[in-house]
Amino acid sequence: DALINKGTRCPMCAGLVKASMEDLNDKISSIGKFELIGVVGRFSGLGSKVKVRCNEDGFEWDVLAQNIIRGNSGCPKCANHGFDTSKVGFVYLLRSYGGDIAKVGISNDMHRRLKEIYSRTPFQCELFDFIECDGATARAIEKRIHSMTEQASFDFSFDGYTEWRRNFNFVKELFYNEKNSIEASAPS
């Protein structure tokens, strides 16, 4: 929430004040895109799972209230995202700062995806390298590398956390084997 309160963020959005059901309803309604249907499970303020309805197409889904209010989530049916194997794809290799973990993922829009990752990953990371290829090949490469590596473990979840792998050097070796294979098969 962009509300400024003596130079600080809105106390409710910052998690300092527990939001009431009425607060959630007001905030979600004020967005103008969704209607709050109700709480799924136990009510816990912004961290509550809620059922919302899209005002555009009537689709209903469950989501954390804070993700709707903070703009981190929208109607999955209206969304124009997801990986499309019929388009050009990118396989990206990220490295965590100060750690021995790597992320191997795919996207049709690498710049948008990296921006999302950098803002949603709870630690710093950097793009190490990428492969540009057709989407079907990109998906196959990602799947092969994930099947040959061990998922990094975290005490919490975040966007894309399942794509982080242990042993950066081993992941890097597999990634470069795939990249070299693509380059070797490309017409001169």
Side-chain angles (χ1 to χ4, degrees), residues 33-180:
K33 298 178 184 178
F34 315 108
E35 175 188 347
L36 176 64
I37 304 299
V39 175
V40 178
R42 190 175 71 80
F43 179 76
S44 60
L46 286 177
S48 300
K49 186 175 269 193
V50 295
K51 181 173 284 299
V52 292
R53 179 181 298 124
C54 176
N55 291 340
E56 188 73 26
D57 62 15
F59 184 74
E60 295 181 7
W61 75 103
D62 297 345
V63 63
L64 289 178
Q66 64 192 2
N67 288 342
I68 288 287
I69 292 167
R70 293 177 180 159
N72 294 333
S73 183
C75 175
K77 191 172 177 188
C78 291
N80 186 16
H81 63 78
F83 189 75
D84 186 342
T85 57
S86 70
K87 295 181 179 177
V88 171
F90 296 90
V91 184
Y92 54 83
L93 174 63
L94 301 180
R95 175 175 57 184
S96 68
Y97 289 148
D100 187 36
I101 58 174
K103 178 179 175 73
V104 176
I106 56 176
S107 181
N108 298 114
D109 183 345
M110 192 170 65
H111 295 291
R112 179 194 53 79
R113 183 63 182 138
L114 290 176
K115 186 177 176 184
E116 291 171 353
I117 291 168
Y118 294 151
S119 70
R120 297 176 184 169
T121 302
F123 50 85
Q124 288 188 315
C125 57
E126 65 180 343
L127 177 64
F128 192 81
D129 203 350
F130 67 92
I131 302 167
E132 183 177 353
C133 54
D134 68 85
T137 301
R139 182 173 308 277
I141 291 170
E142 179 194 44
K143 191 172 184 175
R144 271 194 302 274
I145 293 174
H146 285 177
S147 73
M148 293 187 284
T149 56
E150 183 182 351
Q151 182 178 326
S153 59
F154 300 99
D155 294 333
F156 47 87
S157 62
F158 53 93
D159 183 27
Y161 78 98
T162 60
E163 296 171 341
W164 284 95
R165 318 314 282 178
R166 293 183 181 274
N167 192 343
F168 174 77
N169 287 329
F170 180 62
V171 176
K172 179 177 73 170
E173 181 181 328
L174 294 173
F175 182 88
Y176 280 121
N177 287 344
E178 296 285 355
K179 187 170 186 172
N180 292 339

Side-chain angles (χ1 to χ4, degrees), residues 15-34:
L16 302 174
V17 175
K18 186 174 179 178
S20 69
M21 187 64 183
E22 186 178 334
D23 292 331
L24 290 185
N25 192 35
D26 290 347
K27 284 197 168 281
I28 290 173
S29 294
S30 73
I31 295 168
K33 298 178 184 178
F34 315 108

